[in-house]
Amino acid sequence: MPDETKSPSQHPPQGDSKPSAEKPAAPATPPKPAAVATPAAKPAAAPPKAPVPTPTPWDSPMIAKLRRTYGSGIEPLTYAGQNYIVVDRSLIPELLYVLRNEEKFDYCVDITAVHYPQREKQFDVIWVLYSFPRNERIRVKAQIADGATLPSSVPVWPAANWLEREVYDMFGIKFEGHPDLKRILLPDGWQGHPLRKDYGILQQDNQWVQINLGIESGQ
């Protein structure tokens, strides 16, 4: 009689014959790095200040010659590459004639002024001169008090006519012997001189504006 007992491999498994698939484990979340304190930004270093040029003595064969004649009446200096001579007011116009006739500064480029109201002698009057034969430019500077006058340079350089009129117009400085000293930029009758430091930037002659333009303000 045959053995009916089957081997385990012959008996079908109970239930689902397929083994259940296992889900892969979720990857572990890496820990967050600890916060690192950011160092406070240092303030930017201020850029180094450029050196302020200061006047230094100026010497040359021409200056040596002028010193022998005028001594302490002149102070030759150089500033930021510009040569100039500070002269006593009493040497004007004599020194200007010497510079034109003997030193060949034949071209008066400009005459201007600067106002320093805190000084006793409030004004610097400046002649900018050029020599074509020497190819050289210099400045002559004289200090005068408010209300003081200077001899006109028109006999030395005729072109000084309009230059002195502009200085008179803007600063109120008068030049003795000028052939026709009157305003050149502002109208006749205008009150005040706009390039003086005590003349406000918005200041104007309201009376002149009202009379001549028929308005309250020219601004």
Side-chain angles (χ1 to χ4, degrees), residues 84-98:
Y84 66 99
I85 309 172
V86 181
V87 306
D88 189 272
R89 179 239 180 256
S90 63
L91 297 180
I92 302 296
E94 178 184 343
L95 181 64
L96 300 179
Y97 274 113
V98 170

Side-chain angles (χ1 to χ4, degrees), residues 138-158:
I138 65 170
R139 290 164 171 78
V140 177
K141 183 186 299 185
Q143 296 183 358
I144 62 170
D146 188 14
T149 62
L150 281 166
S152 174
S153 303
V154 173
V156 189
W157 299 283

Side-chain angles (χ1 to χ4, degrees), residues 104-148:
K104 308 306 179 186
F105 285 91
D106 43 5
Y107 175 31
C108 182
V109 179
D110 196 12
I111 302 174
T112 187
V114 186
H115 186 206
Y116 299 95
Q118 72 279 8
R119 290 189 336 201
E120 180 181 356
K121 294 182 177 180
Q122 295 188 18
F123 294 98
D124 284 353
V125 178
I126 304 161
W127 293 259
V128 183
L129 309 179
Y130 179 76
S131 169
F132 284 98
R134 303 164 66 112
N135 188 24
E136 183 178 355
R137 183 189 301 263
I138 65 170
R139 290 164 171 78
V140 177
K141 183 186 299 185
Q143 296 183 358
I144 62 170
D146 188 14

Side-chain angles (χ1 to χ4, degrees), residues 45-207:
K49 293 184 178 180
V52 178
T54 55
T56 56
W58 167 39
D59 199 8
S60 71
M62 178 186 75
I63 292 301
K65 180 180 176 182
L66 294 176
R67 280 192 179 279
R68 289 193 294 268
T69 304
Y70 299 107
S72 60
I74 66 171
E75 184 182 9
L77 297 168
T78 186
Y79 177 80
Q82 304 292 327
N83 297 327
Y84 66 99
I85 309 172
V86 181
V87 306
D88 189 272
R89 179 239 180 256
S90 63
L91 297 180
I92 302 296
E94 178 184 343
L95 181 64
L96 300 179
Y97 274 113
V98 170
L99 291 172
R100 186 199 67 178
N101 297 337
E102 299 180 18
E103 304 301 334
K104 308 306 179 186
F105 285 91
D106 43 5
Y107 175 31
C108 182
V109 179
D110 196 12
I111 302 174
T112 187
V114 186
H115 186 206
Y116 299 95
Q118 72 279 8
R119 290 189 336 201
E120 180 181 356
K121 294 182 177 180
Q122 295 188 18
F123 294 98
D124 284 353
V125 178
I126 304 161
W127 293 259
V128 183
L129 309 179
Y130 179 76
S131 169
F132 284 98
R134 303 164 66 112
N135 188 24
E136 183 178 355
R137 183 189 301 263
I138 65 170
R139 290 164 171 78
V140 177
K141 183 186 299 185
Q143 296 183 358
I144 62 170
D146 188 14
T149 62
L150 281 166
S152 174
S153 303
V154 173
V156 189
W157 299 283
N161 187 321
W162 286 6
L163 304 176
E164 289 180 352
R165 285 178 58 189
E166 183 177 0
V167 174
Y168 166 70
D169 196 356
M170 295 292 104
F171 294 93
I173 298 171
K174 294 182 179 181
F175 295 88
E176 298 173 359
H178 189 285
D180 187 23
L181 191 62
K182 61 182 180 181
R183 292 186 182 273
I184 192 172
L185 299 175
L186 291 171
D188 292 337
W190 188 274
Q191 300 297 314
H193 304 281
L195 288 188
R196 293 177 61 117
K197 296 291 179 61
D198 52 10
Y199 192 99
I201 191 170
L202 296 179
Q203 182 180 340
Q204 61 179 313
D205 185 352
N206 291 323
Q207 183 178 2

Side-chain angles (χ1 to χ4, degrees), residues 4-65:
E4 295 180 357
T5 305
K6 294 182 179 180
S7 64
S9 61
Q10 292 177 324
H11 292 279
Q14 300 296 321
D16 191 357
S17 61
K18 293 183 180 180
S20 60
E22 295 182 357
K23 295 182 178 180
T29 303
K32 295 182 179 180
V36 179
T38 304
K42 294 182 179 180
K49 293 184 178 180
V52 178
T54 55
T56 56
W58 167 39
D59 199 8
S60 71
M62 178 186 75
I63 292 301
K65 180 180 176 182

